[in-house]
Amino acid sequence: MRALSRVYVSHLAGRSVFDADGEPVGRIRDIVVSMGAGDSAPRVLGLVLEMHGRRRVFLPIGRVTSIENQQVVSSGLVNMRHFQQRPGETLVLGELLDRRVTLKATGETATVRDVALEPERAGKEMAVTKLFVQKAAKGGLRRRGETLTVDWDAVQGLEVSGEQGAAELVAALDKLHAADLAQVMHELSPKRRGEVAAALDDDRLADVMEELPEDDQVEILGELESERAADVLEAMDPDDAADLLGELSTDEAERLLALMEPQDANPVRRLLSYREDTAGGLMNSDPIILLPNATVAEALALVRDEERTPANASLVFVTRAPTETPTGRYLGAVHIQRLLREPPMALVSAVVDVELEPLAPDAPLNEVTAYMATYNLVAAPVVDADDRLLGAVTVDDVLDHLLPDDWRMRPGGHPHDELPPEAREVVELLEEQDGADGTTAGRSRAGTEAGER
């Protein structure tokens, strides 16, 4: 995201948002943030846009490509579902402006008049960094109190009232790998697990859901509102979303698919048409695909995408148009090591491995594992009878089906023991509250050892 070093929300309110072609998308009516805990600054989740007909929708901050020169530019399609504020979300214009706070340094009362946002994490995210506040007017002839700009953590009382336990846990565990956060959620009581799921944003929850056992996934999905459940499924990898929907009844799966955007639902529907223990059921329908006239430099740029797993980025597939699965005629694959040895401007068609025979979508699991072991691959193409690339099977999906159902939950160790101290304190506090409420953690250590082998 290209952004000014600092932008105040008063300058964004009412401003138009444009798409990449310069066409207006809507006007900004609010900014949604997730309040941090400890040293974590409130993180911007997205914008509330007012579109034609006064409909308000949510634009994730990840789809904002530029905030500069008094222009906001977005990429991709806008989800037209009506915006609904979720637990753990705070509206800057609606809830933070005019909020009464206390200055920590002096104990004086002040009112928040404006909020500053700044890019962080190499410009990929934005966070609240500064507050423009006005002190309470004192006696005499002064009608207005002094104004000053302070750091976001220089005041008390910024948090919106409400249950903060789950939000604090999410903030404390923000730096954890999704698999480790999944371990923590697995250990919480169902009530707390639902609260944490509600406090996570869609992308983060999707990453965590992919690391949870199927029972936990089904439980969490069932607790979400239908539209949010569809949003989370859209954010999951298509193969993981298909696996999860496969655990639901046919009617429930179809209901959620109908709520998803067509471009997200269609690949999942195709995956659900295959048995889960075949190449078609195991594959990811979104591998790296290029036309034969693409360059090595273009291929490496896609391989470097940090959103892709190492296995998914190990092979680049070359096909005729279209390049969305199911593609045009499959031409072959290029190994990443070969790409690294070639000049940047060389064409990928010149280095295609044409001897690597693809898998058929109905190939059974034992054939898939033997194929990958024979050719020393961590990813393999899946091609139908019409020579169209359908997707790629990666080693992580194969292992997921070979290992025991409960392999994700490491035996013997308690995941809380390996957390940072501040995160462990929040988890233990929540568990104590569970005990005080008369509830029991969903998978205590004793329960895990005695009942879940």
Side-chain angles (χ1 to χ4, degrees), residues 156-349:
Q156 291 178 330
L158 193 63
E159 298 82 5
V160 177
S161 60
E163 186 170 356
Q164 295 295 316
E168 290 176 359
L169 175 59
V170 169
L173 304 180
D174 185 53
K175 301 296 191 296
L176 284 185
H177 189 280
D180 296 321
L181 179 52
Q183 286 275 344
V184 173
M185 289 183 66
H186 180 72
E187 293 287 324
L188 294 175
S189 68
K191 174 177 178 292
R192 290 300 184 191
R193 193 158 47 245
E195 291 172 355
V196 172
L200 291 169
D201 63 51
D202 292 346
D203 289 338
R204 180 69 160 158
L205 179 56
D207 290 341
V208 173
M209 290 272 279
E210 292 172 359
E211 303 294 339
L212 282 168
E214 290 174 349
D215 288 347
D216 287 352
Q217 292 183 28
V218 172
E219 172 198 296
I220 291 172
L221 196 72
E223 293 294 324
L224 301 178
E225 294 180 356
S226 296
E227 289 193 350
R228 194 190 177 201
D231 290 343
V232 172
L233 287 166
E234 289 173 358
M236 295 176 69
D237 287 337
D239 54 328
D240 290 307
D243 288 343
L244 174 51
L245 288 173
E247 297 297 316
L248 307 180
S249 68
T250 302
D251 290 343
E252 180 65 10
E254 185 54 42
R255 186 178 67 84
L256 291 174
L257 283 166
L259 291 173
M260 295 170 63
E261 296 293 329
Q263 67 269 22
D264 296 309
N266 290 340
V268 177
R269 291 182 191 275
R270 287 197 297 271
L271 292 172
L272 285 170
S273 68
Y274 300 106
R275 285 180 44 183
E276 65 175 358
D277 59 349
T278 63
L282 293 168
M283 69 183 177
N284 184 320
S285 59
D286 186 31
I288 299 176
I289 304 171
L290 287 171
L291 294 172
N293 61 351
T295 65
V296 168
E298 290 174 301
L300 289 174
L302 295 175
V303 166
R304 283 194 291 268
D305 183 359
E306 63 181 16
E307 297 297 322
R308 292 192 177 273
T309 64
N312 187 270
S314 65
L315 280 180
V316 173
F317 301 102
V318 182
T319 74
R320 299 293 183 188
T323 56
E324 292 185 0
T325 55
T327 68
R329 187 165 66 87
Y330 174 70
L331 300 177
V334 185
H335 302 271
I336 183 174
Q337 287 183 322
R338 181 64 187 270
L339 290 171
L340 294 171
R341 293 196 297 265
E342 297 298 323
M345 299 313 296
L347 298 182
V348 293
S349 56

Side-chain angles (χ1 to χ4, degrees), residues 130-151:
K130 301 284 184 180
L131 305 174
F132 181 69
V133 301
Q134 184 176 39
K135 293 182 181 179
K138 297 182 180 178
L141 298 177
R142 293 185 63 182
R143 295 184 179 180
R144 293 180 178 274
E146 176 189 358
T147 58
L148 66 159
T149 300
V150 299
D151 292 335

